Structures are given as C-alpha cells and as structure tokens.
C-alpha cells in the first residue's frame, strides 16, 4: 500500500481552478442540494441500522475531523492515531501514555477540496491504510459527513463509508447510513447526526434517533457529534438562519429529550473547548489535516447558556503570530497572481482606452487627475466599460464576509476601490512610460501604449493585486474579526494538527485527551516498517490537555484533569496518569 501513496500538497484555495470549482460546487449544492439528496437519503434510510455495541468494561474511541488535505498533515495524524500506545508530553514536561480507541470516528470533511472516489482514496484512505498496515492495528471505523462530503450529494462518501462489505483502509466499517449511534460502556452513548449544510434533520434520520433515545436509560450520558460548531457560528452571525443553533437545541429538547453531556465537532480546523458550570462540554476538534484556522478571532470566551472557553490550541498569542504571514500572500498563492493579473489587465485596458476617446481633451493625460477623469467618464459613456467596473465591484462585495448588509457593501466597495486605484495607477504609469519612450508623435502611439500598459498591469498587477488581497484579509481579521476562513486558507498552515482520544469506563467516567503535533514532518523515508518521518524539525506528539468527566448524583459532571499549562486541577486526590 505504501508504494501507492500519492503525496498531495495542501490544497491551494486561491488556485483559479479550485476557486472556480468551489464556486460552482457551492452554487450547485445551494440550488439543488436540498432536492437531489432525497433519493439518496431514502436509499440509505432503507438500510437497516440499529445502535452499534462497543462492549467491555471500558472502551475507547478516537475522534479526528477535517482530514484528507495535504499528505504531510494527514499522514502525520494517521500515523499517530495508528499507534496502539502513544506517549505524549504535556506543557509542564510530564510524560504520559494513552491507549488507542477500539473505534475511530471521522467527524466530517473527510476529503478536500471536493469529494470524488479518487480524492477519498488518494488523500484519505491511502494514508490511513499505510499507517494502519505499518502499525498492525485495525480499529472499527465510523464517519460523519461534513459540508465537503456533501458537495456531490454524498455519493462518494456513501460508497466509501456506508458499504460494510468494502471496509475502509483495511478496517471494518459497519454503518449503512450517513449517521449512527454507538452504545458504549458506563451508560455512555455516542450519536453522530448528519446535518447536511446546517439543514434540518431529515425524517428518516429523526425517526432513527427518536428510536435510539427510547432505548437509552433515563440516566444515560450522551455525546453528540455534529458536522459544525453552530454554537460558535450563532455567536458570529447572529440572526442568520444558516448559522443558528436552533437545530442543536431541537435535538437536545425534542429528539433526545435530555441534556447532552458533550457536543463534539470539527469544521473549524483547530482545538477549542467551552465548558458549562455543570461540567458539560462543547468541543471543536478539527485539526485532522486541513489548513489551520485562527483561535484568537472571533473572541468567544463566553457562549450562550454560560459556556466559557477553557482551552484553545494553538493559543491566542500563537494564533496572532501566525496571522502575520499575510504579506507573503503572493508567494503562498502563486497561482492566484495570473487570475488577479487578468482582472487588472482588463481594467487597465478599459481605463487607458478611455484616454483616447475624447477628441477635445481639456487636459493632459500626463497629469494623473486628468487621466482619472477621462477614464471615469468613459465608464459612463461606454456601456461595456461600465459593466466591467460594476462586475468587479459586485464581485468584491459578494466576497465580503459578513451578514451585515451595509458592512458588506461598504467593505466590498472599499476593497474593490483599492484594487481599481492600484490597477489605474499601473495603467497610467504604463502610459507615461510608453509616451516617454516612444515619443508622442509616433504613429501607433495609442495602440502601443495600450499594449504596454496592459503588460505592466498583468505582471506587476498580479503581484500587487495578490498583495492587496492579503492586506485586506489581514485588516479584516485583525480589526473586524472577519474572513477567518479566507485569511487562514491563504496561509496554508499545515501544522498544529490534533485529534481526541476518549475512553469511557464502567464507573461512568469519560476521559478526553486532546493530543496534537505542533509541527508535522515535511520529509519521509521509506523503510521496511513503512513510511517514517525523516524531519528533525518535526515535533513529537504532545498532550494539549486532559479532562475527566465524572457524573454527579445531582446531575452534571465533576471535571478534573490537566490543563494547557500542564497543571492539575479538579479533584485533589487525582494522580497524574490516572
Ligand atoms: Fe473543514
């Protein structure tokens, strides 16, 4: 299997082909997704499926989400997950070991950028198959789809994870639907609920979980996996139905009829944990392979219902430091330059053409103000020119990330204006340069000026436009807490990868260990034992934090553990490694 490994780089989200296909997929899924999935949902729902038993006095499951991006990050996490026993150090330098779960749960976005059979195989299944083969371990695998799995209406996901006869990465799969329930020891249950693009739960799925809830004892403890952290989005985008957490509240109150002990999700590619006063948890663990998302913005120390932020990795200071890389945007996203360069070229073409459209010129085009006036006039007199300007401004307004209409309009217009001023300045410089070199009496002056100005706009404009976009993203994130996705996907950070190692015991205790790799290997060496890291700068697995939830007689959970500084808290008699 290792010889067939395809080592993809991190997805270039600003590559023109990825940008265009993303827009196309998003449009298709928004327009048709609600309808095209109904056949598949019915077909999946017709497959019998109960709750899956994970027996024994105690049992463990690993949770990893947002995998299947670049090879380095995906394989590094797969390799760590595959070890049956893993040693990790906490921030205080103490070492402890953890036992791998009998079950591995993929929490969503199992592949990037789009779900195809080849993409699942190359970006996700092959790295995991190689890692499990080398470690000689075969956990049972379950998977919940995220938004990227839904882009093809779940066709490739169903083929990959919902056919038990096929298996995944040499491991057993059992689910026949895109959602599932695990019955764990200690009266714990894990429910994975498929909320396609934040939509309502479909009827067959709702009936499935109502039936499961009816099987649970009244005092059962429930972990619910969902594809996205609606508790964060509801705070960031208040009033937006798509980002509301109403569905989560409905799951808790109407479908399950009980409080959820732990909400678990990915979608944001980092680790973040909020805790309620009664010990209930909301955890984001999306560091399975995809580019890092920031943890310092938006600042959501406190959520609704009294949940308070207890941990974030990387921490806010480190996240802020990583954010400073935006001035490198053109070099981090080199394929974006021809795209923005083309926008500059067309804009300059129209602008410089406007210099020659007026017979009775009242000023000299060598003056910047005069040239600008002539160009603006031509956007009014030439419909094609005007339409182009409107399209560019409209595109930037559409790109602006906010649900507040006036902000989107003002922010998008200002952003477009920066690019248009930059493009015009380049075009005007091209004109002045060409006129100086060629001499104003040259017969073909207007045509040559246009060609030279356009060439300058395409080459210099490609780099300048990319740099302005990077600056815009930096300012948006720093000052307004917006564009965290666009800003950090541009940085393509493959480090700070993490997953969860959970264990439930007959006593009713749930232990959660957040484990991470601060720097993933960039180089690998083929050996008889498989593909091994060959990068001295790569870091060893570290314990981000560890917490234990112990059910209290009066309801809720007593929490103790080791925090992000390596300090023990909670029960005073707890010993390290307990
Ligand atoms: Fe994701």
């Amino acid at each position: 299997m290792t010889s067939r490994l395809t080592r993809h780089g991190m997805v270039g989200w600003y590559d023109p082909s990825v940008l265009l296909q993303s827009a196309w997929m998003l449009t298709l899924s928004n327009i048709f997704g609600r309808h095209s999935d109904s056949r598949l949902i019915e077909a999946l729902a017709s497959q019998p499926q109960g709750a899956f038993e994970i027996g024994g006095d105690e049992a463990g499951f690993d949770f990893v989400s947002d995998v299947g991006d670049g090879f380095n990050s995906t394989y590094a996490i797969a390799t760590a997950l595959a070890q049956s026993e893993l040693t990790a150090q906490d921030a205080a330098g103490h070492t402890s070991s953890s036992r791998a779960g009998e079950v591995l749960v993929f929490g969503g976005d199992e592949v990037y950028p789009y779900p195809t059979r080849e993409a699942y195989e190359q970006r996700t299944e092959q790295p995991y198959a190689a890692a499990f083969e080398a470690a000689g371990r075969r956990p049972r695998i379950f998977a919940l789809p995220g938004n990227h799995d839904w882009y093809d209406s779940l066709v490739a996901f169903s083929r990959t994870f919902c056919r038990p006869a096929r298996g995944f990465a040499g491991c057993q799969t059992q689910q026949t639907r895109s959602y599932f329930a695990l019955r764990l020891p200690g009266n714990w249950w894990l429910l994975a609920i498929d909320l396609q693009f934040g939509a309502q739960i479909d009827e067959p799925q709702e009936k499935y979980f109502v039936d499961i809830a009816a099987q649970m004892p009244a005092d059962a403890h429930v972990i619910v996996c969902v594809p996205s952290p609606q508790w964060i989005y509801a705070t960031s985008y208040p009033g937006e139905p798509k980002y509301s957490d109403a569905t989560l509240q409905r799951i808790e109150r109407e479908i399950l009829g009980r409080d959820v002990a732990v909400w678990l999700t990915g979608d944001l590619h980092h680790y973040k944990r909020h805790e309620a006063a009664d010990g209930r948890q909301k955890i984001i663990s999306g560091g399975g392979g995809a580019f890092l998302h920031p943890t310092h913005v938006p600042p959501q120390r406190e959520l609704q219902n009294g949940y308070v932020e207890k941990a974030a990795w990387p921490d806010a200071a480190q996240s802020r430091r990583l954010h400073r890389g935006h001035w490198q945007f053109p070099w981090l996203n080199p394929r974006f330059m021809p795209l923005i360069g083309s926008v500059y070229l067309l804009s300059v073409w129209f602008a410089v053409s406007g210099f020659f459209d007026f017979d009775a010129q009242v000023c000299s085009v060598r003056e910047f103000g005069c040239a600008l006036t002539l160009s603006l006039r031509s956007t009014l007199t030439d419909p094609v020119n005007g339409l182009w300007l409107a399209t560019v401004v409209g595109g930037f307004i559409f790109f602006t990330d906010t649900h507040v209409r006036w902000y989107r309009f003002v922010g998008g217009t200002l952003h477009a204006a920066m690019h248009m001023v930059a493009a015009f300045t380049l075009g005007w410089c091209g004109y002045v340069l060409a006129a100086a070199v060629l001499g104003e009496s040259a017969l073909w002056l207007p045509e040559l000026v246009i060609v030279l100005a356009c060439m300058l706009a395409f080459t210099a404009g490609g780099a300048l436009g990319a740099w302005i976009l990077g600056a815009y993203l930096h300012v948006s994130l720093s000052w307004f807490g917006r564009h965290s996705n666009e800003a950090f996907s541009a940085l393509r950070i493959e480090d700070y990868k993490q997953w969860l190692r959970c264990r439930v015991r007959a006593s009713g205790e749930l232990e959660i260990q957040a484990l991470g790799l601060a720097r993933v290997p960039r180089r690998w060496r083929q050996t008889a034992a498989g593909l091994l890291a060959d990068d001295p700068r790569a870091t060893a697995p570290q314990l981000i934090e560890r917490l234990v939830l112990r059910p209290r007689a009066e309801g809720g959970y007593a929490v103790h553990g080791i925090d992000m500084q390596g300090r023990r808290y909670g029960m005073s008699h707890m010993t390290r490694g307990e």
Side-chain angles (χ1 to χ4, degrees):
M1 180 57 84
T2 50
S3 58
R4 289 197 288 112
L5 281 174
T6 312
R7 298 189 205 179
H8 286 284
M10 297 294 280
V11 171
W13 292 101
Y14 287 84
D15 290 359
S17 59
V18 177
L19 274 179
L20 290 175
Q21 206 166 348
S22 294
W24 175 242
M25 290 279 214
L26 203 61
T27 308
L28 274 189
S29 59
N30 278 338
I31 295 175
F32 302 114
R34 303 280 183 273
H35 308 291
S36 65
D37 63 294
S38 58
R39 253 183 338 148
L40 188 76
I41 283 174
E42 277 164 28
L44 287 171
S46 67
Q47 305 289 323
Q49 178 173 294
F52 299 98
E53 289 279 343
I54 313 294
D57 277 349
E58 63 172 70
F61 67 91
D62 292 329
F63 177 90
V64 66
S65 187
D66 304 81
V67 300
D69 193 324
F71 176 81
N72 291 339
S73 51
T74 303
Y75 186 65
I77 288 290
T79 306
L81 269 166
Q83 310 308 312
S84 49
E85 195 88 26
L86 192 78
T87 304
Q89 229 176 43
D90 63 27
H94 299 107
T95 303
S96 61
S97 66
S98 63
R99 191 144 53 98
E102 292 83 347
V103 169
L104 171 59
V105 175
F106 287 109
D109 286 358
E110 270 73 78
V111 76
Y112 293 92
Y114 324 110
T116 62
R117 190 202 302 215
E118 295 72 33
Y120 276 114
E121 280 179 13
Q122 292 182 6
R123 289 185 177 268
T124 313
E125 189 162 12
Q126 287 178 10
Y128 274 85
F132 285 133
E133 191 177 292
R137 203 173 76 79
R138 307 279 177 200
R140 291 156 74 181
I141 296 212
F142 292 88
L144 177 71
N147 58 328
H148 285 265
D149 303 288
W150 262 105
Y151 282 145
D152 71 340
S153 291
L154 222 57
V155 173
F157 175 91
S158 311
R159 187 187 289 129
T160 307
F161 294 105
C162 303
R163 288 186 181 171
R166 179 187 181 279
F168 174 85
C171 302
Q172 186 191 8
T173 59
Q174 293 175 282
Q175 70 192 88
T176 52
R177 307 185 185 187
S178 59
Y179 44 89
F180 55 88
L182 307 183
R183 182 181 192 149
L184 302 164
N187 204 15
W188 280 90
W189 294 67
L190 185 148
L191 313 179
I193 301 181
D194 175 12
L195 299 172
Q196 175 216 357
F197 294 121
Q200 294 286 325
I201 302 180
D202 55 281
E203 265 184 54
Q205 183 175 190
E206 181 162 339
K207 183 176 179 314
Y208 174 82
F209 284 111
V210 167
D211 289 348
I212 294 287
Q215 297 169 34
M216 292 178 188
D219 59 348
H221 312 294
V222 184
I223 301 163
V224 175
C225 299
V226 284
S228 53
Q230 296 302 112
W231 53 90
I232 298 288
Y233 297 152
T235 318
S236 299
Y237 301 97
E240 280 279 292
K242 188 179 168 190
Y243 298 113
S244 144
D245 63 351
T247 304
L248 304 193
Q249 291 176 23
R250 205 176 144 258
I251 289 170
E252 204 165 37
R253 299 272 71 86
E254 296 177 29
I255 297 177
L256 304 179
R258 67 192 72 223
D259 289 334
V260 171
V262 180
W263 291 95
L264 204 50
T265 193
D267 200 38
L268 290 178
H269 309 156
H270 55 223
Y271 176 70
K272 202 171 250 195
R273 179 172 69 85
H274 287 81
E275 184 178 294
D278 65 357
R280 294 176 205 282
Q281 308 289 325
K282 289 184 173 176
I283 301 176
I284 302 169
S285 172
F291 67 87
L292 179 74
H293 273 130
T295 56
H296 66 290
V297 278
Q300 280 146 337
R301 298 247 163 255
E302 229 173 289
L303 302 173
Q304 296 154 339
N305 308 327
Y307 280 81
V308 177
E309 185 181 305
K310 291 287 181 179
W313 191 77
D315 64 21
Q318 183 61 14
S319 176
R320 234 175 251 114
R321 274 195 292 276
L322 292 165
H323 177 206
R324 289 181 199 142
H326 276 119
W327 60 273
Q328 300 178 63
F329 187 106
W331 294 271
L332 291 171
N333 304 278
R335 290 184 190 163
F336 181 70
M337 287 196 271
L339 182 70
I340 193 76
S342 303
V343 174
Y344 273 49
L345 183 150
L346 271 171
S347 304
V348 163
W349 197 345
F350 281 122
V352 177
S353 302
F355 294 174
F356 307 103
D357 282 350
F358 296 91
D359 292 333
Q361 291 186 9
V362 291
C363 58
S364 165
V365 178
R366 283 171 185 248
E367 292 168 21
F368 187 84
C370 168
L372 185 62
T373 307
L374 291 177
S375 292
L376 288 174
R377 277 175 68 186
S378 84
T379 60
L380 296 174
T381 54
D382 180 349
V384 180
N385 188 345
L387 201 62
W388 169 253
L389 185 66
T391 306
V392 171
V393 175
F396 282 107
I397 290 173
F398 178 75
F399 176 76
T400 305
D401 165 41
T402 175
H403 67 295
V404 182
R405 239 178 236 170
W406 72 263
Y407 182 99
R408 174 176 277 231
F409 183 78
V410 173
T413 306
L414 283 175
H415 184 197
M418 279 192 288
H419 285 289
M420 291 299 96
V421 167
F424 178 81
T425 306
L426 279 177
W428 178 75
C429 288
Y431 171 87
V432 173
L433 200 68
V437 172
L438 298 168
E440 297 223 13
S441 59
L443 184 64
W444 284 84
L445 180 65
E447 289 78 2
L448 286 171
V449 162
I450 289 172
V451 170
L452 286 172
C454 286
M455 283 168 60
L456 185 67
F458 183 73
T459 49
L464 182 62
W467 190 85
I468 288 175
L469 178 57
Y472 163 80
L473 291 172
H474 185 90
V475 169
S476 296
L477 193 65
S478 304
W479 295 5
F480 303 104
R482 294 291 170 194
H483 282 298
S484 60
N485 194 48
E486 291 78 10
F488 268 68
S489 63
L491 295 175
R492 301 170 76 172
I493 297 167
E494 55 188 337
D495 295 318
Y496 296 98
K497 291 292 150 282
Q498 55 74 229
W499 77 103
L500 298 182
R501 184 148 277 183
C502 307
R503 189 153 281 277
V504 285
R505 304 197 168 89
S507 62
E509 267 190 3
L510 165 67
E511 180 191 64
I512 301 172
Q513 296 198 47
L515 294 156
L517 301 170
R519 184 181 165 88
V520 303
R522 291 351 185 220
R523 289 200 309 272
W524 304 88
R525 180 167 41 92
Q526 187 67 56
T527 69
L531 196 64
L532 300 179
D534 185 21
D535 183 351
R537 295 182 67 198
T539 55
Q542 68 184 81
L543 179 71
I544 299 167
E545 69 162 344
R546 171 179 182 263
L547 62 149
V548 178
L549 271 57
R550 183 169 289 180
R552 289 191 306 213
E554 65 272 28
Y557 301 85
V559 183
H560 66 261
I562 299 171
D563 68 13
M564 285 189 60
Q565 284 70 44
R567 297 175 302 219
R568 284 183 286 173
Y569 65 93
M571 300 169 68
S572 56
H573 64 269
M574 191 192 86
T575 56
R576 190 172 297 281
E578 183 189 353

